[in-house]
Amino acid sequence: MTAAEDAAAQTKLLDNVVATANRLVMAEKDKSKITPAYIVEQVQKAAKTFAGDTPFDVGKAVAILIQRFSHWMGKATTLRDNTGHFDWLSAARKKDWYYWHRYRDFQESRLSDKVVDGLDEATDDILGHLEDPRRTDAWDRRGLVVGHVQSGKTSNYTGLICKAADAGYKIIIVLAGMHNNLRSQTQMRLEEGFLGYETTDGRDPGMPIGVAEFGEHLKTNSATTRLENGDFRKAIAKHFHGISPEERPWLFVVKKQKTVLTALLKWIQTRVADTSDAGDGRKLVTKLPLLMIDDEADNASVDTGEQVFNEDGAPDEEHQPKTINSLIRQLLHAFTRKAYVGYTATPFANIFIHHKGETAKEGPDLFPKSFIINLAAPSNYIGPARMFGKMTKEGRKGELPLSRNVQDHYDAKTDAGWMPPKHKKTHIPVCNGQETIPSSLRNAIHSFVLACTVRDLRGQGAEHSSMLIHVTRYVAVQGHVYKQVEETVRRMRQRIIRGSDADALRAQMRKIWEEDFVPTRDKVAKLSPAEEIPPELPEWSEMLEKLPDVLDDIKVRSINGTAKDALDYATPGASLKVIAIGGDKLARGLTLEGLCVSYFVRTTKMYDTLMQMGRWFGYRSGYLDLCRLYISPDLMEWFGHIANASEELREEFDFMAAAELTPKQYGLKVMSHEVLTVTSPLKMRSARALSLTYSGTRSQTILFHRDAQRQKHNLDAAQTLVASLGAPWAGILKYARDGNADSWSNARLWKDVDVSRVLGFLDTYATHPGATRVNATVLADFITKMIGIGQLKKWSVALLGGGDGIGAPHAFPGLPETESFPARKTEDPEPSQADPDKFAIGVLTDPKDESIDLDDHAWREALALTRAAWKPDPARGRMEPPSVPSGKGIREARAKLGGEADRGLLLLYPLAPYVGKEKSPDKLIVPGWDKPIMAFAIAFPSSDNAIRVEYKVNPLYWMQEYGPSE
C-alpha cells in the first residue's frame, strides 16, 4: 500500500469511527450526560467495530467530537408580509417526509445536533413562508435569505429543497451562478444532499453518494448533470417529455446564462405548460408548483435598467428589463403557483429593486416582497467580526492576528509596479525589472507550503489545502501571474527535493516559521474558546523532513470557469494542495476547499463585490492558526469599513423585525445607509440621484481633507458654534446607569439649542466629497425639511475632548480658559494609496456618546429596546445579551419617549493633529496644521415621517473612486 493509499484508508477509518460515535452520542436523550468522558466511551465503542486491531488515533476522533458538540447556532430573524398567505406547515404535515430525514441524518453524521437543529428550524421558517404546494389556486411568494459569506448557504437551501420536495413541490430550479465551475459544484452538492446519486452523461443514476447511505433511493429526476456540458440545453431538452404531477420532483441546476435560460423557458412552455392565459395567451403551468432557488441572487439577477413610474406610482409595463432578469421573471411568470427564494450574503442590490416593478411580459420584478430572513451562523464560523474585529474609538479590537500588509505590489509615487490598482489587460507584471513575483507574494507562497506541511503533520494530510491569488480581473494578466508563480514553486521544489542551493531557502522559511507561525499560533490560542484552541506546532526538524513530499504535491492552477476546477475536489481519495490564480471566476460562490492563504490586492471598494471576494471566511477547524491573509492597506481599511457597515444594517434589520415591519419598509431604510459603498449605482437603478432619509440613523465624519486651510475653516465653524451657545448645561455629566456609572471628562453639554445654530454650523463646515453619508449640505436639507413638519426644532450639542490626546489643549471661545480641551487621539491614519490628499479614521463615536444627554430613565428604555431586538449570533460577535444600549436602541428610545429626549444630537470632536504619540512636525497628519482636526457626528431620533432628500451621484467619480462592481 502506497503512502497516499494508507492516508486515504486512515481518513476513511476516522470518518467511519467519528460518524458512528456521533450517532451514539446523538442517541443519548439526556443531553446533560454528554461530557468529554462520555464521548471517549462512544468513540472507543465505534473504534472496536471499525478498527479492530488496526492502529487508530482515538484521541483525534475524540477531539473532533468534543469540538463538534460544543458548537451552537443563533436564531434567524425575519421580516414578513403575509398578505394572501395561509399558514400550512404543521407537525402532521411533516410526519412522513423522506428527503429531509435522509438529509438530516446525513448532516448529523458531520455536525452537532445543535447546528442541525438550527438548520431544521431555519428551513422550516423559510418553507413556512412559502405557500402550500397543495394549494390549487394561483399564488406567488418571493423571498430573500441573507447569510454570511461562506457560512453554509448551500446547506440551507439543500435542506429547503429536501423539505419542499417532501411537501409536494414538483419542479425545482436552482440558478447556480454565472460559470461552469460554480454550476458543477452546486450540482455535486445537491447530488450529495438531495438526489443521493452521481449524475451521468446519459442522465441515468450513477454511483450512490451522500444521503443514499441514510435512506432508500427515491429515483429523483435530474435534468442536469455534474459534467461541464451538463447544463440544460436544446440538444438534451428533446429527450425530456412532459412531467406529470404524480412523478418525483425534477431538479434543474442551471447557469444564469441567456442560452440556458432560454432553452429551459421554451421547454417549459412547449412540454410542461397545460393551459394558456385568458388575457395575453401566455403558456401556463397550473398543475406543477415551482420552487426557484437563486444562488448569489444579487449577481446578474437584478435588472440594472431603469423602469419608469408615473405620478400615481404605476410602472411602465413596456419597460425592457436586462436579459437575465427578464428570463428569470418569464420562467416564474409561466407558472400560476410559484415560490422564488434568493440567497446571498450581500442583499443590497435585491433590496434596491423597486417593490412595484412589473411588466406585461415578465410579470413582477424580483423584490423579496413576502419575506427577508437573516440567517445566523454556527459558533465556529470565521467571519468579518472575528477576522477584522470590531472598530472602536480606540481602534480595531479583537481581530485575529492573521492579516499581513502587502505594499510592494505597487509604487504609489510612480503609479506603477508589479500590479498597480488600475492597469490594462495588456499589463505585464514586472518586479525590480524582471517578470517575477514581489517578495510579499513569495512570503505568502512560503507560508502556504508551511501550512500544508503542518496540516500533514497534524493528521490533516488527506484533506484539501488551497491558496488563493486574486490580483487582477483580466484573464491575460492572470496568465502572466500563473507563469511567475508556477516558476517560483518549480524552483522551490527543485531546491528542496534535489538539495541544490537549499540552505538559503530553508533559512528564509525558518525565519517565517519562527517569527510568524510560532507566535501567531499562541496568539490565536489566546483568542479562541477552549474547544477551538489549535494543536501545538510540530518541531522544525519534523517540518524539514516533510517539506519535500508537500512541495511535490502542490499544483498551481489558473481558475477559468470550467467545471474541472470544481470536479477535482470531488474525486474520491484526492487531497489537493493547490494554488489557485484567478479573478472574477473566484469572486462569487466557488468554494476553495481548505483555504489557508489568500493573497488579495484587488481595489474595488463596493461592499457587495468585496464581501463576495472574501473567500477566506468560513470554517477552519484545526488549522485557523495557519491561515494568512496578505492584503493591501487600502483594502484592509475597506474590509474593516464594510464589516462595520454590515453590522449596522443587520442591527437595523433586527429592530425592524422586532417591530414586525415588512420587507418593503426595510428596503426604504437600507437606501438611507452609506449606499455608495454598498453596491453599484447601476444595481440601484439610479445613476443620477439617491433618495435618503436620516431618521433613526447616526452620521459621523471619518474622511477628511489633508489640507490646512480646510482644517482651519472647519475649526472656525466649530468655534463659532460653541461661542454662540452660551453657558453649558449646569448638570454634571455623570449618570448612575443602574450601578454602572457613565461619565465624560473634558466634555461640555448644551441642551435646548435652537436648530438655527446647528444649521449655521453645517452651512459653514466643509465635508469631504467622498464622505457620501456625511454631506453637510444634504444633512442641512434633511433637517430643514423635518422642521417643516414640526420636528428637530430643538437640539443637544456636546463638545467632547479626550484626555489621551496629544498636543496643546485647545481653548474654545465662550468657555473659560481653564476649560481647554485636549484633542482625542486619532487612530493612526495613513494616506490613501489612491488619493494622498485625504485621510480616514475608523470610528469617531460610540453608543455611550449618543446617550450623553439622556437621563437614567431614557437610558433604561434604550437598553430594553436593544435587548428586545437582540439575538445571539457568533458570526457577529454576539454571544451574551447586551448590558448597555446600542446606538440604534438610543435613537429609537429618543423617538419613543418624546419630550426632551426627542431631539437631534450634535457631537463635536477635536481630534489630535499628530500620527501616533510623537509631537513633531513630520508627524502632523495634515502638513502645516498643529491645531485640532474638527470632526462631528449627528444622531437623529427615529421618525414615522419618511422625509427624504436627494443626493446627487456623479457616475464618473464613482467609477474612478470605487472601480467596477463585478
Side-chain angles (χ1 to χ4, degrees), residues 406-423:
V406 172
Q407 298 191 68
D408 56 356
H409 69 295
Y410 166 56
D411 185 344
K413 293 179 181 177
T414 62
D415 200 29
W418 184 74
M419 199 64 65
K422 294 174 183 175
H423 56 266

Side-chain angles (χ1 to χ4, degrees), residues 183-320:
R183 193 211 69 82
S184 177
Q185 185 181 80
T186 304
Q187 175 85 34
M188 288 187 287
R189 296 274 179 86
L190 289 169
E191 289 170 10
E192 184 182 57
F194 174 53
L195 297 176
Y197 63 86
E198 287 187 358
T199 52
T200 64
D201 195 18
R203 264 69 184 175
D204 295 321
M207 187 175 73
I209 58 171
V211 294
E213 184 184 344
F214 300 90
E216 63 177 298
H217 178 43
L218 299 175
K219 298 180 181 176
T220 313
N221 305 295
S222 180
T224 52
T225 76
R226 61 170 51 199
L227 303 177
E228 184 164 355
N229 64 351
D231 209 338
F232 194 86
R233 61 189 194 279
K234 272 197 294 189
I236 63 164
K238 60 186 179 183
H239 299 301
F240 300 127
H241 301 289
I243 302 172
S244 70
E246 296 77 29
E247 282 189 277
R248 296 278 183 198
W250 278 75
L251 175 67
F252 301 79
V253 183
V254 298
K255 292 193 303 293
K256 289 187 247 190
Q257 195 258 350
K258 179 182 177 181
T259 305
V260 172
L261 296 179
T262 301
L264 180 55
L265 176 62
K266 185 176 180 181
W267 179 75
I268 286 171
Q269 290 170 335
T270 56
R271 298 292 185 93
V272 186
D274 54 84
T275 190
S276 297
D277 183 85
D280 59 12
R282 280 181 301 112
K283 296 287 187 181
L284 286 175
V285 181
T286 64
K287 297 178 181 178
L288 299 166
L290 165 71
L291 171 62
M292 180 182 286
I293 302 290
D294 189 354
D295 196 7
E296 307 295 347
D298 62 316
N299 187 32
S301 303
V302 178
D303 180 19
T304 55
E306 187 173 359
Q307 185 166 12
V308 177
F309 295 83
N310 63 25
E311 290 182 1
D312 64 1
D316 170 19
E317 292 208 341
E318 299 304 313
H319 167 66
Q320 295 290 315

Side-chain angles (χ1 to χ4, degrees), residues 20 47 215-216 371 382 398 602 663 667 678 762 774:
T20 302
E216 63 177 298
F371 62 88
I382 307 298
R602 282 285 296 275
V678 168
L762 291 174
V774 196

Side-chain angles (χ1 to χ4, degrees), residues 602-606 609-610 613 635 638 962-966:
R602 282 285 296 275
T603 56
T604 178
K605 294 176 182 176
M606 278 172 279
T609 309
L610 269 181
M613 289 175 177
L635 278 176
W638 277 91
Y962 297 103
S965 65
E966 297 292 346

Side-chain angles (χ1 to χ4, degrees), residues 780-908:
D781 186 20
F782 173 74
I783 293 169
T784 301
K785 288 186 175 181
M786 293 296 285
I787 296 169
I789 60 169
Q791 296 184 20
L792 295 182
K793 292 183 176 180
K794 293 297 179 182
W795 284 68
S796 296
V797 177
L799 176 63
L800 297 97
D804 60 349
I806 62 171
H810 187 76
F812 282 83
L815 296 179
E817 288 189 18
T818 54
E819 295 183 358
S820 58
F821 285 77
R824 290 181 172 222
K825 181 180 181 297
T826 309
E827 183 201 0
D828 300 346
E830 291 290 337
S832 165
Q833 286 182 307
D835 184 358
D837 294 329
K838 66 182 180 185
F839 71 94
I841 60 173
V843 168
L844 177 66
T845 186
D846 66 13
K848 174 189 167 185
D849 291 350
E850 288 193 49
S851 68
I852 193 169
D853 64 334
L854 296 189
D855 62 21
D856 288 337
H857 169 68
W859 183 90
R860 280 191 291 272
E861 180 62 30
L863 179 57
L865 290 168
T866 301
R867 285 175 171 167
W870 184 89
K871 287 189 176 181
D873 186 347
R876 296 164 64 187
R878 294 157 69 103
M879 314 292 276
E880 300 293 336
S883 58
V884 294
S886 67
K888 178 64 178 171
I890 293 169
R891 295 188 289 277
E892 292 290 326
R894 287 181 182 277
K896 184 175 180 181
L897 291 167
E900 184 179 289
D902 185 14
R903 63 184 62 213
L905 172 66
L906 172 63
L907 301 166
L908 302 172

